[in-house]
Amino acid sequence: MKKLLYISYLALVFAGCSQDDDLSSVTRDDWNAIKSRYGTYQQRCGSVSDGIQYPANWTIKDAEAFVVSDETIRSMSTCGLLDTYLTHPERVLGPWCEVCSYSLHPGVTEFNNMVNNDKILKEIFGRNNCVEVLASRYLSMIEQGEEVIGRKKCLEMIIASDACISLLKEEERVQFMMMALKMMNREKKLLKEPRHILVAIMKAGNYTPFLTEASKDGKYSAFKTEDGVGDPQRNGLSENTWGYDICVYDVVEKYAKRFLNDLKR
């Protein structure tokens, strides 16, 4: 009986989402404007020559001995810094803790704490061309693909981090939302990380319709686990090891499209 009720609930949720499927969120002109402004990573950065080159066979011994001096970090280009961070062998694993309990580890909070304490990322966020380099790298992943899925997820969570969102102007937030939607459409997979960009920007913009939905109580909220397990965070969003507890992915996309269309009016 419980299973039947849950299936009925999901049918209602997705039926409710279907009325917004025709929302126009990323037009051809929008996408051309993004490509014109940021260009691909190759166009902006060329062949990065000042990034760190890691050993082909990375070992625990390599990891323990690996240090990048402050002087080296300061001397690198922004492209070199991002390349150094994303090509680190550990990025293959993605942005989340792989050995933590599913429900008791606040993944988003922990990732933001990591960003604030990472010397390379702190240097990147202090650069004047930080936003342009992040956008061009993400644009390249959308247009050309990315073989290392963990690396793509890391970049998406860097963009969704508090440190990055706080730097973005309104127009840039809109463009990153469009890129996240484009990535979701390209992949055709229910991956959380692009949706974290949408959630972070709607939270930062205090988008009331979304925050109201996210604050709903009860186990049938799109942002709660079925049994209510989770660490409640700001605006009612709960976290687990792999980020926000988003149970019905389409809800985030629906509100993101509404948010974009409201801005266009």
Side-chain angles (χ1 to χ4, degrees):
M1 177 62 113
K2 288 179 68 178
K3 183 176 181 181
L4 180 61
L5 287 173
Y6 183 64
I7 293 173
S8 299
Y9 161 72
L10 287 179
L12 287 172
V13 169
F14 287 109
C17 291
S18 64
Q19 64 185 357
D20 293 286
D21 286 345
D22 61 345
L23 286 173
S24 175
S25 53
V26 186
T27 66
R28 181 176 297 179
D29 287 345
D30 291 331
W31 194 243
N32 287 337
I34 289 172
K35 292 199 292 185
S36 175
R37 175 174 179 179
Y38 298 116
T40 65
Y41 191 64
Q42 287 74 19
Q43 290 170 332
R44 181 172 294 276
C45 297
S47 178
V48 178
S49 59
D50 61 344
I52 298 294
Q53 300 298 311
Y54 299 99
N57 299 311
W58 185 258
T59 65
I60 294 176
K61 185 176 181 180
D62 291 323
E64 292 174 344
F66 179 73
V67 177
V68 183
S69 70
D70 293 345
E71 182 180 356
T72 299
I73 290 173
R74 287 193 298 269
S75 67
M76 276 192 213
S77 66
T78 309
C79 296
L81 287 167
L82 184 59
D83 201 63
T84 295
Y85 184 83
L86 290 178
T87 59
H88 190 289
E90 291 181 4
R91 305 299 167 248
V92 173
L93 301 176
W96 310 117
C97 176
E98 295 295 322
V99 295
C100 300
S101 166
Y102 171 76
S103 61
L104 301 180
H105 190 79
V108 176
T109 299
E110 287 298 312
F111 188 83
N112 278 315
N113 290 339
M114 181 281 296
V115 169
N116 293 334
N117 291 301
D118 188 283
K119 293 193 297 183
I120 292 176
L121 291 178
K122 286 173 71 174
E123 181 67 24
I124 290 173
F125 287 127
R127 299 290 180 87
N128 292 332
N129 62 343
C130 163
V131 173
E132 288 75 13
V133 170
L134 290 173
S136 67
R137 185 62 180 262
Y138 196 38
L139 181 59
S140 291
M141 288 185 177
I142 296 168
E143 295 273 284
Q144 302 166 15
E146 170 58 57
E147 293 181 5
V148 183
I149 299 302
R151 187 176 297 158
K152 182 193 77 69
K153 291 181 177 182
C154 285
L155 179 61
E156 287 170 331
M157 289 310 299
I158 290 170
I159 294 168
S161 70
D162 291 346
C164 182
I165 298 299
S166 66
L167 295 176
L168 302 181
K169 300 173 183 176
E170 182 175 288
E171 180 184 10
E172 293 165 342
R173 291 181 179 184
V174 168
Q175 290 170 335
F176 272 109
M177 287 187 80
M178 290 180 178
M179 283 191 274
L181 287 167
K182 198 79 169 180
M183 178 65 88
M184 288 158 53
N185 184 63
R186 176 188 179 278
E187 293 187 328
K188 306 294 184 184
K189 296 176 183 177
L190 296 179
L191 296 178
K192 277 190 174 184
E193 288 73 23
R195 289 166 174 80
H196 278 73
I197 296 175
L198 303 178
V199 170
I201 292 174
M202 287 190 285
K203 283 178 61 180
N206 290 313
Y207 185 52
T208 302
F210 168 74
L211 296 180
T212 299
E213 173 70 33
S215 298
K216 285 182 180 178
D217 292 325
K219 71 176 184 178
Y220 292 131
S221 169
F223 298 91
K224 303 287 182 183
T225 51
E226 286 183 61
D227 57 3
V229 173
D231 180 26
Q233 302 295 319
R234 294 177 297 173
N235 302 325
L237 291 169
S238 60
E239 296 180 33
N240 60 44
T241 299
W242 298 292
Y244 290 120
D245 260 331
I246 304 172
C247 297
V248 185
Y249 285 1
D250 284 4
V251 173
V252 175
E253 185 176 358
K254 175 182 74 173
Y255 281 104
K257 290 178 177 179
R258 286 183 178 178
F259 179 75
L260 290 174
N261 281 303
D262 286 348
L263 290 176
K264 291 179 182 180
R265 291 193 180 113

